[in-house]
Amino acid sequence: MALYRRLSRNRHVFRRHSIAALYSSGDLTNPSPTVLYSPLINPFQFSSSDDHNHTLNSRKLLTFYSPHSSRIELSGFRQVLHFSTLANSEEKKKNEQQRPSWVDTYLPQKIRPYAHLARLDKPIGTWLLAWPCMWSIALAAPPGSLPDVKMMTLFGCGALLLRGAGCTVNDLLDRDIDTKVERTRSRPVASGVLTPFQGLTFLGFQLLLGLGILLQLNNYSRILGASSLLLVFSYPLMKRFTFWPQAFLGLTFNWGALLGWAAIKGSIDPAVVLPLYASGVFWTLVYDTIYAHQDKEDDLKVGVKSTALRFGDSTKEWISGFGLACISSLALSGINADIGWPYCAFLIAASGQLAWQIWTVDLSSRADCNRKFVSNKWFGAFIFGGILFGRLL
């Protein structure tokens, strides 16, 4: 901040010096060639105490082209502006990182660490887990009918709890790794705000609530839902052994594509739900590979693996292939479910959203990778809208 204030003050002083020199030359377009100039300008040499000699200093600061040139370049002024812009950018980035979430604003202080552990302040993970469930429930609805609202509510709550439980398991297993990664070192367990025992207790509480939801489903769905816990607990370990942890996340996050249909029908129809499940896995490979590019430098230092490191400079080619496989699987699932024409229109819109992500993402920018990752909630919404209207019309 001290550097920024100094640069800002010097910028205004330099502007006054420059204007004075221009007017003293008598011609703003073709200044007098007798005006002295220096091609190398140090923007830090000025202070407000220079004001009484502003005319002499200004003439030393101006860099003029030939007398026939109509352009006057104030290189020192541009250098000051450059430094000022960088200072503003860093200050803005710092303020955004320190901006409190609704968890810090509204929840009691003792509850906040647990809310952060469950990522309640970052709902995108819950959306990504819930959408495949909603797709499957909507596909299972009879033609001309709305999806089962009770089931959607149960699965929405289940997605919130299961996502929180998965994050808790991840933070408990990765607490030593998280302390070495810039983006994760402030997490409750890694930072020491919560002890591992408190994390385990909170995990048990979330699983108990999840069990209460699972018991409200039919027997087939209970067994199918309970089997997903193996994936939930094993996924956080995958980054230590394989470059494909994003594929295991896809298998975990999209289990609801199987479970939603089973909760309505009492069984699964492989022709419909298996392509739907596959589409979710390919979709996860797209968005989580983009997400993993945020941590690729830290992952290299720590020694963990990801598809971002596996694909490297070929990432866009790989995720383009996954995107194409995702859309193809969604189309096959819709055809087998004999869904109406609106599904096709929404699928085209979703394809455009996915293509926009892949083509425009700047994989060297953490901020842009995060923006594209978060935008996937709209992809899920497009698919759900297509299924909903396809069933109603």
Side-chain angles (χ1 to χ4, degrees):
M1 286 301 297
L3 174 62
Y4 172 73
R5 286 195 295 270
R6 183 178 178 188
L7 287 171
S8 181
R9 184 181 67 246
N10 291 342
R11 180 187 65 183
H12 294 300
V13 171
F14 182 72
R15 183 185 296 169
R16 291 198 300 272
H17 293 172
S18 303
I19 294 173
L22 287 171
Y23 277 96
S24 64
S25 70
D27 187 352
L28 297 182
T29 304
N30 295 302
S32 171
T34 60
V35 177
L36 300 175
Y37 72 94
S38 172
L40 299 176
I41 300 171
N42 181 4
F44 298 98
Q45 71 187 34
F46 309 108
S47 67
S48 57
S49 61
D50 295 326
D51 287 352
H52 64 283
N53 289 324
H54 64 83
T55 303
L56 179 60
N57 287 337
S58 301
R59 292 187 180 189
K60 290 180 180 180
L61 290 169
L62 292 176
T63 303
F64 296 131
Y65 292 104
S66 66
H68 299 288
S69 173
S70 61
R71 181 181 178 190
I72 303 171
E73 176 168 331
L74 305 177
S75 60
F77 184 43
R78 289 186 175 183
Q79 192 172 358
V80 170
L81 285 177
H82 174 68
F83 283 115
S84 299
T85 302
L86 287 178
N88 276 329
S89 176
E90 290 299 320
E91 187 71 15
K92 182 179 179 182
K93 182 178 179 181
K94 184 177 179 181
N95 289 336
E96 288 178 350
Q97 291 175 343
Q98 295 177 348
R99 186 179 301 166
S101 66
W102 70 270
V103 168
D104 301 306
T105 304
Y106 299 108
L107 293 186
Q109 189 169 1
K110 290 184 178 180
I111 300 178
R112 291 174 194 171
Y114 296 98
H116 283 297
L117 186 58
R119 310 286 198 275
L120 296 184
D121 56 325
K122 298 176 180 177
I124 180 58
T126 303
W127 280 114
L128 296 176
L129 184 59
W131 278 131
C133 306
M134 304 307 172
W135 298 348
S136 189
I137 293 171
L139 269 177
S145 302
L146 288 170
D148 190 315
V149 176
K150 178 185 176 181
M151 281 298 172
M152 292 181 65
T153 304
L154 286 175
F155 273 78
C157 294
L160 181 68
L161 291 169
L162 187 60
R163 190 267 180 132
C167 291
T168 303
V169 172
N170 183 79
D171 286 10
L172 288 170
L173 294 175
D174 287 353
R175 58 185 183 274
D176 295 331
I177 295 176
D178 286 345
T179 58
K180 302 173 185 177
V181 178
E182 180 182 355
R183 187 177 56 83
T184 60
R185 62 170 55 106
S186 62
R187 288 177 175 174
V189 177
S191 63
V193 176
L194 292 177
T195 65
F197 177 76
Q198 288 174 314
L200 279 172
T201 303
F202 183 57
L203 174 62
F205 174 71
Q206 293 175 96
L207 292 177
L208 184 62
L209 293 178
L211 178 62
I213 292 176
L214 190 63
L215 291 176
Q216 298 184 55
L217 307 181
N218 56 55
N219 289 331
Y220 187 92
S221 301
R222 292 172 188 173
I223 298 172
L224 189 62
S227 62
S228 69
L229 292 178
L230 179 62
L231 291 168
V232 172
F233 283 95
S234 63
Y235 157 68
L237 299 172
M238 291 300 112
K239 64 173 73 78
R240 293 169 170 82
F241 305 112
T242 176
F243 281 101
W244 293 87
Q246 281 68 32
F248 283 88
L249 180 67
L251 295 173
T252 306
F253 252 49
N254 295 280
W255 200 256
L258 307 175
L259 191 57
W261 182 280
I264 301 296
K265 301 287 191 178
S267 61
I268 61 171
D269 182 351
V272 176
V273 297
L274 290 184
L276 187 68
Y277 181 56
S279 71
V281 175
F282 289 126
W283 178 40
T284 304
L285 279 165
V286 173
Y287 67 65
D288 207 54
T289 298
I290 292 174
Y291 184 81
H293 270 273
Q294 296 179 94
D295 299 328
K296 55 190 174 185
E297 291 85 3
D298 290 324
D299 288 346
L300 279 172
K301 296 176 185 176
V302 175
V304 297
K305 302 174 175 65
S306 71
T307 49
L309 297 178
R310 170 65 179 81
F311 301 153
D313 294 336
S314 302
T315 291
K316 288 202 174 185
E317 288 80 358
W318 278 91
I319 61 177
S320 295
F322 294 142
L324 182 60
C326 170
I327 298 301
S328 300
S329 298
L330 284 168
L332 178 60
S333 180
I335 292 170
N336 291 340
D338 195 24
I339 199 166
W341 65 265
Y343 179 72
C344 181
F346 277 87
L347 187 59
I348 292 172
S351 303
Q353 201 280 337
L354 198 63
W356 166 78
Q357 288 184 57
I358 295 170
W359 292 343
T360 65
V361 64
D362 181 359
L363 296 174
S364 63
S365 168
R366 293 186 177 185
D368 193 51
C369 286
N370 188 65
R371 276 194 297 270
K372 297 303 190 298
F373 169 74
V374 171
S375 75
N376 279 279
K377 63 178 179 286
W378 299 113
F379 177 87
F382 280 131
I383 300 301
F384 178 74
I387 297 172
L388 179 65
F389 286 103
R391 276 289 180 243
L392 289 174
L393 300 179

PDB file of all heavy atoms in Angstrom, residues 12 120 160:
ATOM      1  N   HIS A  12       0.648  11.999 -10.216  1.00  0.00           N
ATOM      2  CA  HIS A  12       0.043  13.334 -10.329  1.00  0.00           C
ATOM      3  C   HIS A  12       1.105  14.420 -10.466  1.00  0.00           C
ATOM      4  O   HIS A  12       0.944  15.369 -11.228  1.00  0.00           O
ATOM      5  CB  HIS A  12      -0.839  13.605  -9.107  1.00  0.00           C
ATOM      6  CG  HIS A  12      -2.034  12.716  -9.030  1.00  0.00           C
ATOM      7  ND1 HIS A  12      -2.991  12.680 -10.013  1.00  0.00           N
ATOM      8  CD2 HIS A  12      -2.408  11.795  -8.096  1.00  0.00           C
ATOM      9  CE1 HIS A  12      -3.927  11.786  -9.695  1.00  0.00           C
ATOM     10  NE2 HIS A  12      -3.587  11.233  -8.542  1.00  0.00           N
ATOM     11  N   LEU A 120     -20.121 -25.707   2.629  1.00  0.00           N
ATOM     12  CA  LEU A 120     -21.431 -25.077   2.456  1.00  0.00           C
ATOM     13  C   LEU A 120     -21.317 -23.703   1.808  1.00  0.00           C
ATOM     14  O   LEU A 120     -22.278 -23.215   1.209  1.00  0.00           O
ATOM     15  CB  LEU A 120     -22.145 -24.948   3.804  1.00  0.00           C
ATOM     16  CG  LEU A 120     -22.516 -26.253   4.510  1.00  0.00           C
ATOM     17  CD1 LEU A 120     -23.295 -25.962   5.780  1.00  0.00           C
ATOM     18  CD2 LEU A 120     -23.315 -27.171   3.584  1.00  0.00           C
ATOM     19  N   LEU A 160     -26.458 -32.786  -0.713  1.00  0.00           N
ATOM     20  CA  LEU A 160     -25.799 -31.854   0.199  1.00  0.00           C
ATOM     21  C   LEU A 160     -25.007 -32.606   1.269  1.00  0.00           C
ATOM     22  O   LEU A 160     -23.845 -32.283   1.562  1.00  0.00           O
ATOM     23  CB  LEU A 160     -26.847 -30.945   0.847  1.00  0.00           C
ATOM     24  CG  LEU A 160     -26.325 -29.881   1.814  1.00  0.00           C
ATOM     25  CD1 LEU A 160     -25.514 -28.829   1.068  1.00  0.00           C
ATOM     26  CD2 LEU A 160     -27.492 -29.216   2.548  1.00  0.00           C
TER      27      LEU A 160
END
